[in-house]
Amino acid sequence: MKLAESLLKSPGASILNIEQIRSDFPILKLKIDGKPLVYLDNAASSQMPQPVIDRMIRYQTTQHANINRAVHYLSETATEEYEKSRNKLKCFINASEDREVIFTSGTTDAINLVAHGYGRKFISSGDEIILTTLEHHSNIVPWQMLAEEKGARIRVVPINNAGELLIDEYEQLFNKHTKFVGITHVSNALGTINPIKQMIEFAHARNVPVLIDGAQAAPHMKIDVQDLDCDFYTFSGHKLCGPTGIGILYGKASLLEHMQPFKGGGDMIASVTFEKTTYNTIPHKFEAGTPPIAAAIGFGAAIDYLSEIDMSVIKAYEHDLIDYATEQISFIPGIRIIGNATNKVAVLSFAVDKIHPHDIGTLLNQEGIAVRTGHHCAQPVMQHFKVPATTRASFSFYNSMSEIDALISSIQKVQKIFS
Amino acid sequence: MNTKSLYQEVVLDHNRNPRNYGSLDNANRTAEGDNPLCGDHLNIKINLSKGRINDISFQGESCAICKASASMMTTKVKGKTQEDAETLIQEFRDMTIGKLELDSNHHLGHLTVFSGVRELPTRVKCAVLPWHTLHAALNSVATVSTEADDDPMHVSIGNA
């Protein structure tokens, strides 16, 4: 019986064996200046479990060579393992074909690929691109660069004070010039989960393609790109317990085939002469040069690890974490939670009266607690709430309730220091 | 432990009750200092005459390190000559990036309480911003920041 089922079948029992999970992550044993590490910066990057570390070492010690290039055993093995990882990602997001999964160096790289491969080819002067106030800079800047180059215009969906998109306003932004939509699935600064399925439907009724930035969603819930019907979906390996330097762009085959290549070089060509070069088919058309092979294989191993636990178990456990954290922090006087959407992942951005986030973060670090302070690469969100920065605690399925208790008591300690 | 020594009582006191906080009616030099990535913002006003800082004030929103640094700076430089103030500015900057020997012949006095910030690179800008801004005011430069070329460590520290 799968781990998930056995846990779900025992009523009242914790749905996830937190001690067992935590023992899989060697870094969680670290001490920061004598204090146990309490790692609450998962939205920035997640930690790697031993099985994924081991898989990457095994690749380097028994399987590594360059892919797609040779007929020898190691090259064939490396190629096979690399493509196996592609298939794992395809299944993870329920894409219809392997070739719709492009390996990139991360989410930012993937979005830039679309801005160049699709945007540069199909967006022209006077066209409009819809983005939202919740976007991470990586889903703003590439479009601004494109808009400036082409003479196109960016339109922005506003948010309410709970940090939720105003869907009526989104719909009203559409006109005959609207040619592209970019939406974050989950806000990295606030944790808001956006109703992207309905937003995609609305755009498609007007023949407008949609890119979804899934960097903050894929670690926390099951993604089904066919059900969402998104045209593009992007996310990064290091936020899902995989290595840094790898991510994927999912794109519908029909779109990817008509896009122009992003980077030029080896592997993305069919044939090269100085007179004319023809391009390879997808996905290789977008995978120029030697890819981060070990990282791709690590990403696949991370997907295996998460799938073994089951994304719905992870989602339910993290829901308990954010409920508990929100409840506990609301008992502390002088705390303002920033981002109170009805649907959120386990991200808690907050402000403490009269104490600057930088001071909070520095003093929490002294207690071994890692949170992030700053604008979180989401300056438009900060501007909406009229704060230069927030303190953000972001949880993963390997965080425990007692770590939340540690966070709460440390915040109270910080308040005491400043009182 | 450096963080603890940084948030010691004198720093917290200057944060709670900042000295020379407010406006300055007879100001003849003013400068704005901005640390856009973390949101520290300061305005420094001075009355400079015959080469001496007769009066000084500061205002703005900032973290505790920045506010305490500004407060202690104003008490230190009030009444000093421009030349002496520039020496202090240089010594303070050097201290925060670990270039100053604390037992050498410097003039920082109690300001050495900020020496711990050299172990916290992301907070160096917070401590240095008031001094940077004072330097701007003394030299009639209107606005400064601690980013890019003005970064005291000449390394950009990204804020995610």
Side-chain angles (χ1 to χ4, degrees):
Chain A
M1 187 188 292
K2 252 180 80 166
L3 177 68
E5 290 167 285
S6 67
L7 290 171
L8 286 167
K9 279 185 187 328
S10 54
S14 164
I15 50 172
L16 180 146
N17 187 335
I18 189 63
E19 290 314 316
Q20 187 187 309
I21 298 280
R22 285 178 69 84
S23 68
D24 284 340
F25 291 82
I27 205 168
L28 296 180
K29 299 182 188 66
L30 213 65
K31 293 256 194 297
I32 308 296
D33 233 21
K35 305 262 168 63
L37 168 69
V38 175
Y39 187 76
L40 303 180
D41 193 21
N42 294 286
S45 196
S46 61
Q47 301 299 346
M48 192 181 280
Q50 196 65 51
V52 177
I53 298 170
D54 290 345
R55 180 63 188 94
M56 291 179 73
I57 294 174
R58 182 162 69 86
Y59 169 73
Q60 294 292 162
T61 50
T62 65
Q63 298 177 322
H64 172 67
N66 209 328
I67 60 169
N68 299 334
R69 302 274 173 76
V71 296
H72 60 80
Y73 164 77
L74 284 175
S75 178
E76 283 178 356
T77 306
T79 306
E80 199 182 308
E81 294 300 321
Y82 180 76
E83 293 301 331
K84 258 195 216 164
S85 273
R86 190 193 305 280
N87 176 260
K88 286 177 186 182
L89 264 308
K90 170 244 174 188
C91 296
F92 189 67
I93 59 174
N94 194 32
S96 50
E97 300 177 66
D98 283 1
R99 66 190 184 122
E100 291 182 317
V101 173
I102 317 282
F103 278 121
T104 67
S105 67
T107 306
T108 302
D109 184 35
I111 296 174
N112 276 275
L113 194 165
V114 177
H116 178 88
Y118 182 90
R120 276 231 171 91
K121 190 170 176 185
F122 295 112
I123 302 289
S124 19
S125 177
D127 287 348
E128 294 189 356
I129 300 168
I130 296 177
L131 303 174
T132 83
T133 306
L134 294 176
E135 299 313 310
H136 183 283
H137 296 167
S138 65
N139 204 23
I140 299 177
V141 180
W143 306 110
Q144 287 178 318
M145 289 163 75
L146 178 72
E148 192 175 317
E149 183 188 310
K150 298 285 181 178
R153 200 178 151 200
I154 309 276
R155 310 295 303 279
V156 184
V157 184
I159 54 173
N160 62 22
N161 284 329
E164 295 163 323
L165 292 178
L166 296 172
I167 303 302
D168 291 344
E169 306 269 342
Y170 162 70
E171 294 176 355
Q172 276 165 45
L173 286 174
F174 279 78
N175 57 42
K176 64 180 182 202
H177 301 293
T178 310
K179 289 286 156 42
F180 201 86
V181 175
I183 314 168
T184 185
H185 194 162
V186 168
S187 161
N188 71 307
L190 308 179
T192 309
I193 304 172
N194 292 321
I196 56 168
K197 189 168 169 182
Q198 107 193 41
M199 295 174 79
I200 291 165
E201 230 177 279
F202 190 87
H204 283 174
R206 287 143 189 82
N207 284 319
V208 178
V210 183
L211 175 143
I212 301 292
D213 171 3
Q216 298 291 335
H220 304 296
M221 61 187 75
K222 189 97 190 70
I223 306 299
D224 186 334
V225 294
Q226 290 191 69
D227 179 59
L228 291 170
D229 198 31
C230 51
D231 300 284
F232 302 103
Y233 198 94
T234 66
F235 58 99
S236 304
H238 71 96
K239 297 204 202 275
L240 277 88
C241 304
T244 50
I246 190 84
I248 64 147
L249 166 68
Y250 158 79
K252 288 182 179 170
S254 54
L255 276 167
L256 292 175
E257 276 167 342
H258 288 99
M259 282 162 57
Q260 62 184 11
F262 182 27
K263 298 175 191 172
D267 288 335
M268 47 75 70
I269 44 86
S271 70
V272 180
T273 66
F274 279 110
E275 283 73 42
K276 180 164 175 62
T277 286
T278 57
Y279 299 125
N280 208 340
T281 52
I282 56 167
H284 302 289
K285 183 169 85 169
F286 295 108
E287 293 183 4
T290 302
I293 309 166
I297 288 167
F299 198 179
I303 296 302
D304 286 341
Y305 181 82
L306 294 175
S307 302
E308 175 68 28
I309 301 169
D310 196 292
M311 293 313 294
S312 52
V313 171
I314 287 174
K315 182 176 169 180
Y317 177 75
E318 289 179 356
H319 192 77
D320 287 350
L321 282 179
I322 188 63
D323 273 356
Y324 183 64
T326 308
E327 175 201 64
Q328 290 298 304
I329 210 174
S330 62
F331 290 142
I332 309 178
I335 298 277
R336 177 164 80 115
I337 295 175
I338 302 191
N340 295 293
T342 316
N343 291 316
K344 274 180 70 169
V345 300
V347 162
L348 189 62
S349 248
F350 58 94
V352 181
D353 263 2
K354 298 195 182 61
I355 310 178
H356 195 280
H358 266 197
D359 297 312
I360 300 169
T362 303
L363 287 164
L364 286 180
N365 176 56
Q366 198 185 323
E367 301 294 310
I369 301 175
V371 293
R372 188 152 291 251
T373 63
H375 56 61
H376 314 294
C377 291
Q379 287 185 33
V381 177
M382 299 295 121
Q383 281 153 22
H384 176 91
F385 288 98
K386 298 194 182 18
V387 290
T390 68
T391 306
R392 181 190 70 186
S394 50
F395 306 94
S396 178
F397 62 93
Y398 47 77
N399 289 125
S400 64
M401 298 293 176
S402 60
E403 287 185 308
I404 294 174
D405 292 335
L407 171 69
I408 299 300
S409 77
S410 294
I411 293 171
Q412 289 168 317
K413 254 192 198 168
V414 174
Q415 285 179 310
K416 206 149 178 248
I417 291 173
F418 276 82
S419 64
Chain B
M1 163 69 251
N2 286 305
T3 316
K4 212 175 250 163
S5 62
L6 198 51
Y7 286 94
Q8 62 187 268
E9 195 43 47
V10 61
V11 167
L12 294 170
D13 176 41
H14 277 267
N15 181 55
R16 247 178 263 129
N17 306 301
R19 322 304 196 244
N20 302 303
Y21 190 88
S23 197
L24 192 67
D25 290 333
N26 59 341
N28 57 10
R29 297 279 172 90
T30 179
E32 304 283 327
D34 207 15
N35 189 346
L37 289 187
C38 82
D40 290 333
H41 183 86
L42 286 178
N43 171 275
I44 305 264
K45 288 185 162 63
I46 55 178
N47 176 283
L48 186 76
S49 77
K50 299 197 179 79
R52 199 168 283 273
I53 300 172
N54 294 309
D55 208 348
I56 178 169
S57 77
F58 82 97
Q59 272 180 305
E61 290 305 311
S62 65
C63 64
I65 301 299
C66 185
K67 192 179 275 186
S69 176
S71 174
M72 290 181 76
M73 176 189 79
T74 58
T75 49
K76 190 78 177 174
V77 304
K78 198 190 281 198
K80 295 237 172 3
T81 63
Q82 179 165 355
E83 207 184 309
D84 284 347
E86 294 285 7
T87 303
L88 284 166
I89 291 168
Q90 191 57 52
E91 286 180 352
F92 189 87
R93 283 176 65 118
D94 286 347
M95 175 183 70
T96 60
I97 56 174
K99 270 168 76 178
L100 186 83
E101 285 304 322
L102 288 176
D103 48 12
S104 67
N105 264 350
H106 63 78
H107 308 84
L108 291 173
H110 289 161
L111 289 164
T112 52
V113 77
F114 287 101
S115 63
V117 87
R118 66 181 177 230
E119 310 287 330
L120 300 169
T122 49
R123 307 308 305 279
V124 165
K125 293 180 189 186
C126 305
V128 157
L129 183 65
W131 298 84
H132 217 54
T133 312
L134 174 64
H135 179 71
L138 289 169
N139 292 280
S140 301
V141 174
T143 63
V144 286
S145 81
T146 46
E147 295 313 309
D149 295 333
D150 295 325
D151 187 322
M153 295 179 75
H154 300 290
V155 173
S156 108
I157 295 169
N159 281 36

